[in-house]
Amino acid sequence: MIDTEVLVVGGGLAGLGAAHYLTHRGRTVHVLERSSGPGGTWRENTYPGCECDIHPALYSYSFTRLPSWISGQADHHQILRHSRLLADRIHRTARVDYDTEVTACRWNDTDARWYVHTRTGALHRARFLLLATGALNVPRIPRFAGSFAGPVLHTARWNHDLDLRGARVGVIGTGASAAQLVPALTDHACRVTVFQRTPAWVLPRPRTRVPLPYRARRTVEYWRNETLLPALIGSQRRRTALEARALRHLHAQIPDPVLRRALTPSYRIGCKRIIFSNTFYPALRRPTTILKTSPITELAADAVHTADGRRHEIDVLVHATGFHVSAALMRMPVHGRNGISLQEIWARDGAAAHLGTTMAGIPNAFVLGGPNTGVGHTSVLFMLESQFRYIAAALEETDRIGADALVVREQAQHRFTTRIHHDSAATTWTRGGCHSWYLDREGINRSLWPGPTWRYRLHTRTFDLHNYTSIRASAGDSDGVDPVEPGHQRTGTSTATTFD
Ligand code: NAP
C-alpha cells in the first residue's frame, strides 16, 4: 500500500496545477495519470491547427508564466510545453506515476482515508483526494446508418501517420475544434467537405499588436474576455451588440449571400461555445471547401449521403463531434461515506458540487473543473486557480481544527446549486434556443459558472468552514488492514460535528 497525503487523479493542467500549488504549501502530493505523459486534453488533441483561442497570457497559471507566450498564439505544442514545465517542477517535489489508470476510489470511515485502486493492481491510501479527470476527453461519435470503409478519425484521436495531402476529407461538425481543423486541412487536402448541422457564432480573434509585459497582458486579456459576459447572462442590449459584431465579421469574411445565410445562426449568441477565429470563414470560402447543411442520412464505403439526395465521395472521415461530458469521472467509481456512489448520485440527480468543488457524502475530496466551474468566454485556468486556493484553505482548516476530514453539508450544496440554477435561468445557455453540451438532458446548466469569474474567485477566496461537518476516524491507524474491496464499504463508527 502506497501512502500519501494528497492523491491527485489526472495529470492534465488541472491536476498538475493543483499538485504544484499544494506542494508549495507544504503538502505531500502524489499524481496518478492514465497516459504516459503530462498534458491531459492537450496531449490528446493534436489535430492539425489545434490551439487555444484564449490568449496564452491568460491561458496559463499565474505561477508558471512563460515569456515566449507573450506572442499571443498558443498551439497545442506550446501548451504541452507548459504542462511539461509544470510536470518537471512537480517531479522535483511530488511523485507522478504515468501509465497508471485509477479504477476505483473508496472512502473508509474507520481510518478516515481514501483507498484508491489502479489498473496496475497498486493500492494507494490518501488523506485527501483530488479528482482532476477533465470534462471533455471521451469522444462522442455519432451513429449513422451504414459504414465508411476508409480511415475514420476523431479530432481528439488524430492519426499523424495518415497522409492527407491530396485526400478528400469529410469533416462532421462545426464547433471550436472543427473551426481550427478546417483551415489547417484546406492547406493540404485536395477537397474538404464540411457537414454542418448547426452554424456557430464566430467572433474575430483580437490581434495583440502592442507588446505588453506578462502581467499587463494578462490583465488586459482578462477584462477583454470578461466584457463578453453580460451578453451571455442576461443583458439583451449587450447580446444584440455582440451578435451585430459577429454578423459584421461574417459579412466581412463571406461575401457570398447564399453561403452567408447557411452560416447565420438562428439561436442566440453564446448559447453554444462562441468561436474566436479569423481563419474559419476564409477556409470555407476556398474553392476546394464544400459546406453541406443537408443532414447526413447514411454512410457508404466511400461516401457520405445527405438528405438532399447527394452523395459526397471522401477518402477520410473526421468526427469533429465533441465529447461525452465528464464521462471519464462517471466511469470511475468514487464511493464516499457508507458506500454512497458519486456516479449514482450524479446520474440520478444531475452533477452537483458545492462551489463546483466538494460533494455531500464524499469527505476530503475535491473535483477540479467540477459542475458549474466551466467557462465559455475566458480561461478555465483562472477558475481552476480559484479552486486551488479554496482546496489549500480547506486542507489548512482541516488541520487547524484537528479534524481528520471535512464533508460539505447537504444543505450548503443544495443552497449553492439552487443559486446556480436561479442565476442560469436568464442566461443565453438555457434561453438561447439551442442545445449544447453545457446543458444536461433536462436542459439544466451543469457546466458553466453563470457569473463573472472574479465573483467565483471571491466566493472561493476563503474557506467557508460553517458549511462543513468534521469527521474523526474511529479506529486510529489501520495500516495493514485489508483494502476496502469494491462493493464492500466498511461502515465506520466515526463521530461527526457540525459547525452551526
Ligand atoms: P462541440 O463544441 O461539441 O461541437 C461538436 C460539433 O459536432 C457541433 O457542430 C455539432 O453540431 C456537431 N455534431 C455532433 N453530432 C453530430 C451529428 N450527429 N451530425 C452532425 N453534426 C454533429 O465539440 P468541439 O468542437 O470538439 O468542442 C468541444 C469543446 O472543447 C468546446 O466547446 C470548447 O469548450 C473546447 N475547445 C476549446 C478550444 C479552444 O480553442 N479553447 C478549441 C477546441 C475545443 P450541433 O451544434 O448541431 O450539435
Side-chain angles (χ1 to χ4, degrees), residues 42 47 51-54 136 140 142 144 155 172-178 180 195 197-198 272-273 296 320-323 435 437-438:
W42 296 103
Y47 58 83
E51 60 170 347
C52 182
D53 56 11
I54 302 295
L136 302 173
R140 181 188 286 277
F144 297 105
T155 44
I172 304 178
T174 49
S177 301
Q180 296 174 352
F195 298 94
R197 188 163 66 179
T198 315
K272 289 173 185 279
R273 169 65 152 76
I296 296 170
T321 44
F323 303 89
H435 190 85
W437 66 262
Y438 295 155

Side-chain angles (χ1 to χ4, degrees), residues 387-443:
Q387 287 192 291
F388 301 163
R389 289 161 191 237
Y390 184 76
I391 294 167
L395 270 51
E396 275 162 31
E397 281 296 280
T398 314
D399 288 344
R400 190 185 63 77
I401 63 168
D404 288 309
L406 293 178
V407 63
V408 72
R409 299 175 68 194
E410 223 159 274
Q411 301 93 310
Q413 181 174 313
H414 181 70
R415 254 196 322 269
F416 173 77
T417 309
T418 307
R419 184 67 209 240
I420 289 287
H421 293 171
H422 173 268
D423 290 354
S424 299
T427 63
T428 185
W429 311 310
T430 51
R431 289 258 183 117
C434 82
H435 190 85
S436 75
W437 66 262
Y438 295 155
L439 307 182
D440 70 6
R441 246 176 276 148
E442 276 80 47

Side-chain angles (χ1 to χ4, degrees), residues 23-43:
T23 50
H24 276 74
R25 275 146 194 85
R27 300 289 167 180
T28 309
V29 180
H30 192 154
V31 181
L32 303 180
E33 164 58 36
R34 183 179 57 172
S35 67
S36 54
T41 194
W42 296 103
R43 210 182 137 73

Side-chain angles (χ1 to χ4, degrees), residues 1-10 30-34 97 100-108 111-133 329 332-336 362-366 482-486 489:
M1 182 142 55
I2 305 158
D3 256 306
T4 193
E5 186 183 18
V6 182
L7 192 77
V8 180
V9 184
H30 192 154
V31 181
L32 303 180
E33 164 58 36
R34 183 179 57 172
D97 291 350
T100 305
E101 186 179 353
V102 169
T103 51
C105 307
R106 295 173 195 284
W107 172 256
N108 182 7
D111 60 354
R113 289 291 183 274
W114 281 99
Y115 286 80
V116 174
H117 299 256
T118 71
R119 199 165 292 289
T120 54
L123 177 65
H124 296 258
R125 186 171 65 169
R127 187 170 171 215
F128 300 101
L129 178 70
L130 267 60
L131 301 166
T133 48
L329 183 55
M332 183 182 77
V334 176
H335 289 275
I362 318 280
N364 278 7
F366 307 88
D482 58 318
V484 186
E485 286 302 325
Q489 174 70 21

